[in-house]
Amino acid sequence: MTAVAYVVAVWLLLIGLYGAVTSRHLVHLVVCLTVAQSSTYVLLLAVGYRDGADAPIFADIPVGSPVVDPIVQALTLTDVVVEATVVALLLALTVQARKRFGTVDPDGIRELHG
Amino acid sequence: MTALQVVALALVAAGGTAVVFTREPLAQAIVTGVFGLFLAILFMLFQAPDVALSQIVVGTVAVPAMVLLTLAKLRREDERE
Amino acid sequence: MALVPLTVAIPLLAAGALAAVKPLSPRRSAQIASIAAAAAVAAVSGVLLARAGGETLVYWFGGWEPRGHVAVGISFLVDPVSAGLVCFAAVLTVAALVFALRYVDVADDLFYVLMLVFLAGMTGFSLAGDLFTAFVFFELMGISAYALAGYNVEQRAPIEGSLNFAVTNTAGSFLLLFGIGLLYGRAGALNLAQLGEALAPESADGLVIVAFVLIAAGFLVKAAAVPFHFWLADAYAVARTPVCILLAAVMSELGLYGLARVYWAVFSGSLGPSHEELRIVLVALGVLTALVGAAMTLLQGHLKRLLAFATMAYVGLMLVGVGLLEAEALAGAAVFVVGDGFLKAALFVCVGIVQHRTGDVDEADLHGAGRPMRWTGLVLVVATAAVCSLPPFGAFLGKSMIEHGASAVDYGWLVALYVAVPALVGAALLRAAARVFLGVGTRAPGGRDPGAEPEEPESEPESRTPVSMFATAVALLACGLAIGLWPGLSGDAVAAAHRFIDRAGYAAVGLGGAGATDVREGHFSSYTPAAHDYLLAALTMAGAAGLAWLSLFRDPRRLPGGRVLQRPLHTLRRLHSGHVGDYLAWLAAGTAVFGGCCALALGT
Amino acid sequence: MSPRGRAWLFVGGALGMALLLAWGLAGVPGSDVPLGRYAGLLADHAVAERHTTNVVIATAFDYRALDTLGEEFLLFVAAVGTTVLLRATREERDEERAARLDEQRGVATSDSLRALGTGLVGPTVVLGVYVTAHGQLTPGGGFQGGVVLAAALLAVYVAGTWLALRHVAPVSALELSEAVGAGGFVLVGIGGLLFAAVFLENFLPFGTKGDVLSGGMVPLANLAVGLEVAGAFGVILTELLDQIVLRRSASG
């Protein structure tokens, strides 16, 4: 059944990248990248999921009861931060691109080539 | 895996697709907030409350806020011309 | 042992402190503090390098040592290769910061903060004994590099270059993370040694092959192998010279290091039986990268863009060295990375000096403008000869070792590549040097595109070359020479490479707790360049000079074959479109093709 | 390449990638197998060893604290990078100065919105502090708390009291919080080096499981992260806000 989660993860990665490839607006492109990035959260958490297990927080459940994988959750926390940092930088670049090129369409941002 | 999780996964897949095909950035900022919420629900169902909380603060607050502020800045540039 | 964490703690703490005291600090104090921090990292890693020659050091953060061969915490693993890379990166950071002393407008301390975090990212990535930690520091390195590449926000090109750089590499990091997720799903571990142990007993199945493909592709985006390379020239051509030094001489190479480390520590047990097939794929990729890079180098008139493609061509040569999957070739690649890295840094510094003096880096605009800078021109020409295998510079030794390793596995024909690619790159550099510093030959065609905005100087043009800049160039050249003259380097490198590719030995140290050591010395013969190596070096330099002469004084369309080549070269050039969507599409297609080739080569 | 060609190239590559990923993912074990050895080890021992109830936070801040250190510096660098990339060029600075003169005239925001925003500031700050402080016990921690604190800034913005904010929390204070938070985590690590001989090793008493101060160095590291994150997001949002506020005040 986790197969459903993997299908969704692959779909999010590819559709997010598709959006970025065909994007005509840098802000749209950046948001599409966050969609692709969220595929990695779904993948990691699905890899660590166990049927019927609880969250790895032993505040209300006794130590030793079955829990889902805590490590992938720690990794995903870091991954979420990576997304936020990349978005911040890319948006800052977008603002400057608008000032220098007068457009936020990747078609118009073509100073470098050849 | 429960039926609820499958529903949440379907919502996430649909939400992600909607974000990509909402080509107008202002509308997209709203849609992405909803998508972030779907993801947070999914993470709760995956028994990952810490990640869900992070996802809420980043996916539904910080990223849309940054996007909206950027769009406001871009509009300011448009107005200047 | 307490020295190991200092390699990341020093630059990070210095960066935090610089940012905290920013409003109060007097002028220049940030420059001095950051140079001191980078020099401290260089010194610490130098000590570690000396110690790692005898035994591999493993440092467990938080004191979390493995329990029953399960890694609980995160380790840094110090062997000659990783310590050497850290030392190399730190020395180049010092050079870059010294070069930057004369930039008046980088008085903003945040430039130094970014440089220090960049250094910490490279350090942590090199030493990490844990796949996810490597990813985190890889991202740290990437994100500081995006900000540094776009530092000149007044101009258009840096913004576009940084955008392409950031978007393409972010997509690459998704692949890397997918690969990590797959491996964790299979092995339930993140420590490299433990992953290797978990995968080794099984023969490769779909999951292992795909995980390898994704991780390799993630690293190859950073290393800029074809067709993941498009962002490279955009980013390297627009960054400030001090940043270029680090990007071109270290960061690309760290992508290759990541590939090599992960292959040998994690995958070699499982994929080892079909390594001959994998060798074909990796060598082919390297050859393609080297040829595309060399061809694009010849077509450039923008000096920094020219050097960026030269970097790519040499990364291809290094990828061949790694991809031969053989100890001596790997040792040669390691020597080549360091030896060539210093020379490439020297070349960037020379171009940076020209830019500082004239405010321009276009070959056509600068025709003869370099006449007053004859000493800079001399350093540039010597460095060019050195990257064309001039003995006894380090690049010559590394290249000879790779060739020797290649012939040991029946890839002797690669000698032709190692003559042709440096000759083509050298020809482009000599042609540009002759036009800029001597004003000879026909004027370079075209110049900048009509409508393109003029390049702004990185700082106010000066009529004299600042001493700190020229000294940096000479010092880097001297370092390149020192690598070649280092007594016993080739023997040490071969010994280190044998340790590097020994997966079982790596696992024993990497999971063995504090007491485990891995001492092996003196079993490996060093390589002394033979007569035919000198002959090939002479051939390379003659080829470079001859081609440079042809391109200066002859119309390329009249040359034999010129007409035939013109069309494909034109097409190749047009593919480098500057459009970020194109780059992402190439990335997806490249991953699919590379994955398909690996699946054919490795699948049973 | 034409948009059509680009899309086709990507679709071809994406199909190949989909096949590749499907092949790889088919090999991942299902969700009915026991936890891996690493995960099982931490799930079984973290509570006893670290006196924290939240194993995810114990993993992130103790067993794998180096990852979190790196993650913190990612945010640090993002804030520094945003500041660098959005710094005003010379001519823009002149424009800004002109705009700032208009700024004095105040911002036009409706009273109800202003009241709402002002009302939100207090609870948001309390929530942020609470989430940060209880990280080792319940879901949450310095990161989530820090973003909530930065979000309080937005509430202030809604309240239209941006000008007041500039006096309360000027950008340099945010930058300071960010730098101190980032450096503070390294110092926690160096504390381990000095008092327990290993970088990032715990050197504080663990306390009673369930207490706010339990978990040894975890609350301290959490606090450093909270400071860093609040500062970093604060800086990023302020950098993006700055000129918009000027525009509003100029036109309003």
Side-chain angles (χ1 to χ4, degrees), chain C residues 20-41:
Chain C
V21 303
K22 185 177 64 128
L24 311 172
S25 61
R27 221 174 105 70
R28 295 235 169 247
S29 65
Q31 298 177 332
I32 293 159
S34 55
I35 291 176
V41 176

Side-chain angles (χ1 to χ4, degrees), chain B residues 1 49-51 53-54 57-58 61-62 65-70 72-73 75-77 79-80, chain D residues 54 56-57 86 95 138-140 143-144 147-148 151 154 233 236-237 239-241 243-244 247:
Chain B
M1 187 164 283
D50 280 289
V51 184
L53 205 55
S54 272
V57 297
V58 169
V61 178
M66 289 192 280
V67 167
L68 288 175
L69 292 176
T70 306
K73 264 197 141 150
R75 198 149 19 112
R76 171 177 179 251
E77 292 292 323
E79 277 170 17
R80 275 212 314 201
Chain D
N54 187 340
V56 178
I57 296 297
L86 288 179
E95 265 178 48
T138 55
F143 177 72
Q144 293 92 336
V147 184
V148 173
L154 280 184
F233 273 106
I236 292 170
L237 293 175
E239 284 295 335
L240 288 168
L241 261 177
Q243 297 175 338
I244 306 166
R247 177 183 62 89

Side-chain angles (χ1 to χ4, degrees), chain C residues 40 275 405 481:
Chain C
H275 73 275
L481 184 64

Side-chain angles (χ1 to χ4, degrees), chain C residues 135-154:
Chain C
F135 169 77
V136 171
F137 281 94
F138 194 64
E139 285 295 302
L140 194 57
M141 171 169 102
I143 290 185
S144 26
Y146 311 152
L148 283 168
Y151 197 88
N152 286 3
V153 288
E154 288 90 357

Side-chain angles (χ1 to χ4, degrees), chain C residues 79-425:
Chain C
D79 66 4
V81 177
S82 61
L85 275 174
V86 171
C87 195
F88 175 56
V91 169
L92 279 180
T93 307
V94 172
L97 290 171
V98 170
F99 181 82
L101 276 177
R102 286 305 295 258
Y103 279 180
V104 218
D105 60 333
V106 270
D108 190 355
D109 297 353
L110 293 181
F111 178 78
Y112 301 95
V113 173
L114 287 173
M115 290 288 274
L116 286 175
V117 179
F118 189 28
L119 173 62
M122 296 191 286
T123 307
F125 177 69
S126 307
L127 296 177
D130 181 287
L131 194 50
F132 193 76
T133 307
F135 169 77
V136 171
F137 281 94
F138 194 64
E139 285 295 302
L140 194 57
M141 171 169 102
I143 290 185
S144 26
Y146 311 152
L148 283 168
Y151 197 88
N152 286 3
V153 288
E154 288 90 357
Q155 298 164 39
R156 300 169 116 191
I159 299 299
E160 183 188 355
S162 179
L163 263 172
N164 292 351
F165 182 18
V167 170
T168 317
N169 280 268
T170 301
S173 73
F174 299 159
L175 301 179
L176 187 55
L177 208 50
F178 250 79
I180 294 174
L182 283 177
L183 280 186
Y184 185 82
R186 167 60 58 82
L190 295 166
N191 183 282
L192 294 175
Q194 200 184 332
L195 281 170
E197 286 290 85
L199 297 186
E202 304 163 40
S203 63
D205 64 350
L207 183 141
V208 176
I209 295 170
V210 172
F212 172 74
V213 167
L214 293 175
I215 292 175
F219 286 137
L220 287 173
V221 170
K222 201 67 97 191
V226 172
F228 308 122
H229 68 282
F230 291 95
W231 62 271
L232 175 135
D234 295 355
Y236 291 10
V238 297
R240 286 163 166 271
T241 305
V243 182
C244 286
I245 292 176
L246 293 183
L247 291 179
V250 202
M251 196 184 71
S252 299
E253 286 75 2
L254 281 182
L256 291 182
Y257 165 77
L259 174 64
R261 174 66 85 194
V262 170
Y263 172 73
W264 271 293
V266 177
F267 290 100
S268 62
S270 183
L271 299 180
S274 33
H275 73 275
E276 290 189 14
E277 289 80 9
L278 183 61
R279 179 184 291 151
I280 298 175
V281 176
L282 292 178
V283 169
L285 197 62
V287 170
L288 191 63
T289 305
L291 291 179
V292 170
M296 288 300 292
T297 308
L298 271 181
L299 300 175
Q300 301 305 314
H302 184 289
L303 294 181
K304 275 188 169 172
R305 207 168 159 86
L306 188 155
L307 280 177
F309 280 111
T311 303
M312 177 184 158
Y314 275 74
V315 163
L317 295 181
M318 292 162 196
L319 176 57
V320 169
V322 172
L324 284 165
L325 305 179
E326 195 270 338
E328 195 180 1
L330 180 69
V335 174
F336 199 40
V337 163
V338 178
D340 173 66
F342 280 121
L343 300 171
K344 217 154 35 195
L347 289 171
F348 266 110
V349 166
C350 290
V351 171
I353 290 174
V354 172
Q355 190 173 11
H356 187 76
R357 291 277 300 266
T358 63
D360 199 344
V361 283
D362 194 89
E363 193 179 328
D365 300 341
L366 286 172
H367 201 88
R371 281 197 193 95
M373 292 175 262
R374 55 183 180 280
W375 291 108
T376 305
L378 181 69
V379 173
L380 185 106
V381 170
V382 174
T384 302
V387 295
C388 292
S389 321
L390 175 70
F393 279 89
F396 168 68
L397 177 65
K399 190 198 72 129
S400 304
M401 286 169 74
I402 298 177
E403 286 168 3
H404 193 248
S407 56
V409 289
D410 294 327
Y411 275 67
W413 55 269
L414 282 173
V415 167
L417 182 80
Y418 282 84
V419 171
V421 168
L424 288 169
V425 169

